[in-house]
C-alpha cells in the first residue's frame, strides 16, 4: 500500500512538472508570434501601404499644385496682362493729317482711309443705321462727340460705344476754341473728357477742335490727357451740300488719297450716302483703319 501511494505521488509530481514547462513555452510563443507578425506585416504592408497611400497622394498634391493653383495663377496673370497690355500700334498720323503705316505690309497697307463723324450723338435711328453700315463693311470709325449732347442723351453715347464705335472728344459746347481763354478751353475739353469717361468707363484717345480751330492750349491739353489731336485731310462737305447724299460721295472721292482722314457728320443725308461711299472706297482698293491701331502721337 505504501509503495502504491509513493508511486502516485511520483506520477503527480511528473505531471505537474510537465504542465509547468508547457505554460512558459506557450507564453513565449505568443509574443514571438506577435513580434513576427508585427515585424512581418510592418515591412510588408506599412511601407507599401505608405508608398501606395502617400506617393500618389504626394504626386496628386504635386500635380494639383502644379496644375490647379499655379496654372490658374499663370492663366489669370496671362489674362490680366492681355487685358492691360497696350495696343500694338501699326499706324501713325503725320503732320498733313494723313494716316501712315509704321511698316507697310499686307497686314498694314498704305491704301487706307480713316472714317470720322463729328457733332453727335444725335438720334438713335441714325446711329444704328450708321453702325449697321460700318458692320457690313467691317469698318470702324471715330465719333467726335459734344458734351452738351451727352448730357441730354447719355444712352446714345453708350449705344455708339457698345456697338464698337471709338469715342473722341469734340468739346463741351462746340465753340471756336482759338478765340477763348486758356481757362475756357480747359473747361471745354476737360469737362467733356470726364463726362465721356463717366458715361462709358473709358477716356477718349482722340481730340478734335470744332471747325479745326486749334491753338497751343488745345495741343497742351491733348498731350496732358494722352490724346492724339486730329483734324482731317478730306472733308465730305456734308454740312454745306445739305440733303444731297450724292454730293457727300463725290466730295470724298474727288479728294481721296492714301491715308485720308475723312470728316463726316451725323446727318440724315450722310447716313443715306454711307453704304454707297464705303462700297466705292472698297472698289478702289481702300481698306478702313481701326482707330485703335493708331499711335497717340503725331510724327
Amino acid at each position: 500500500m505504501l509503495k502504491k501511494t509513493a508511486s502516485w505521488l511520483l506520477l503527480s509530481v511528473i505531471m505537474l512538472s510537465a504542465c509547468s514547462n508547457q505554460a512558459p513555452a506557450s507564453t513565449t510563443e505568443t509574443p514571438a508570434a506577435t513580434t513576427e507578425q508585427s515585424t512581418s506585416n510592418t515591412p510588408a504592408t506599412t511601407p507599401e501601404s505608405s508608398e501606395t497611400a502617400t506617393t500618389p497622394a504626394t504626386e496628386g498634391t504635386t500635380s494639383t499644385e502644379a496644375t490647379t493653383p499655379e496654372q490658374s495663377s499663370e492663366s489669370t496673370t496671362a489674362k490680366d496682362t492681355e487685358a492691360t497690355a497696350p495696343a500694338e500700334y501699326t499706324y501713325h498720323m503725320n503732320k498733313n493729317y494723313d494716316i501712315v503705316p509704321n511698316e507697310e505690309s499686307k497686314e498694314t497697307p498704305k491704301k487706307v482711309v480713316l472714317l470720322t463723324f463729328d457733332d453727335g450723338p444725335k438720334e438713335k435711328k441714325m446711329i444704328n443705321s450708321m453702325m449697321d453700315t460700318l458692320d457690313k463693311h467691317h469698318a470702324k470709325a471715330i465719333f467726335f462727340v459734344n458734351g452738351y449732347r451727352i448730357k441730354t442723351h447719355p444712352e446714345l453715347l453708350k449705344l455708339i460705344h457698345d456697338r464698337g464705335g471709338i469715342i473722341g472728344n469734340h468739346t463741351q459746347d462746340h465753340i471756336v476754341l482759338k478765340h477763348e481763354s486758356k481757362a475756357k478751353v480747359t473747361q471745354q475739353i476737360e469737362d467733356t473728357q470726364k463726362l465721356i469717361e463717366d458715361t462709358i468707363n473709358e477716356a477718349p484717345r482722340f481730340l478734335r477742335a470744332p471747325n479745326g480751330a486749334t491753338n497751343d492750349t488745345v495741343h497742351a491739353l491733348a498731350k496732358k490727357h494722352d490724346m492724339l489731336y486730329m483734324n482731317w485731310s478730306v472733308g465730305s462737305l456734308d454740312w454745306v451740300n445739305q440733303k444731297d447724299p450724292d454730293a457727300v460721295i463725290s466730295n470724298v472721292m474727288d479728294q481721296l488719297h492714301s491715308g485720308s482722314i475723312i470728316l463726316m457728320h451725323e446727318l440724315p443725308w450722310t447716313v443715306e450716302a454711307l453704304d454707297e461711299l464705303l462700297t466705292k472706297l472698297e472698289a478702289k482698293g481702300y481698306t478702313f483703319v481701326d482707330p485703335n491701331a493708331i499711335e497717340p502721337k503725331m510724327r
Side-chain angles (χ1 to χ4, degrees), residues 36-138:
E36 183 180 353
Q37 184 178 13
S38 175
T39 306
S40 173
N41 288 345
T42 300
T45 61
T46 306
E48 289 179 9
S49 175
S50 175
E51 188 176 350
T52 303
T54 60
T55 303
T58 303
E59 290 175 359
T61 304
T62 304
S63 175
T64 303
E65 290 176 357
T67 56
T68 307
E70 290 182 11
Q71 285 183 356
S72 175
S73 175
E74 288 174 3
S75 176
T76 302
T77 304
K79 288 179 181 178
D80 290 345
T81 303
E82 184 179 352
T84 57
E88 182 181 351
Y89 301 123
T90 51
Y91 287 88
H92 64 275
M93 187 182 72
N94 66 19
K95 294 180 181 180
N96 294 322
Y97 296 109
D98 286 328
I99 300 301
V100 181
N102 295 344
E103 293 182 8
E104 190 176 347
S105 67
K106 290 182 179 179
E107 290 73 26
T108 55
K110 183 179 180 181
K111 202 171 181 180
V112 296
V113 296
L114 175 63
L115 306 173
T116 69
F117 299 90
D118 284 11
D119 298 352
K122 293 181 181 178
E123 295 179 11
K124 181 178 179 180
K125 183 178 179 181
M126 284 199 293
I127 291 169
N128 276 323
S129 179
M130 294 164 74
M131 298 310 303
D132 288 345
T133 301
L134 291 173
D135 288 346
K136 175 183 176 181
H137 293 271
H138 307 288

Side-chain angles (χ1 to χ4, degrees), residues 180-237:
E180 301 295 336
S181 67
K182 182 176 180 179
K184 185 68 172 178
V185 172
T186 301
Q187 175 265 321
Q188 284 287 307
I189 292 173
E190 292 192 340
D191 283 5
T192 306
Q193 190 78 351
K194 184 178 187 304
L195 182 58
I196 293 171
E197 187 169 10
D198 288 346
T199 305
I200 63 170
N201 297 317
E202 186 176 308
R205 290 184 50 244
F206 303 96
L207 172 66
R208 175 176 287 166
N211 303 327
T214 184
N215 58 24
D216 290 342
T217 301
V218 174
H219 290 286
L221 287 167
K223 184 176 181 180
K224 174 184 175 182
H225 293 283
D226 297 320
M227 288 187 286
L228 174 64
Y229 180 81
M230 178 181 286
N231 275 351
W232 59 92
S233 53
V234 170
S236 67
L237 300 180

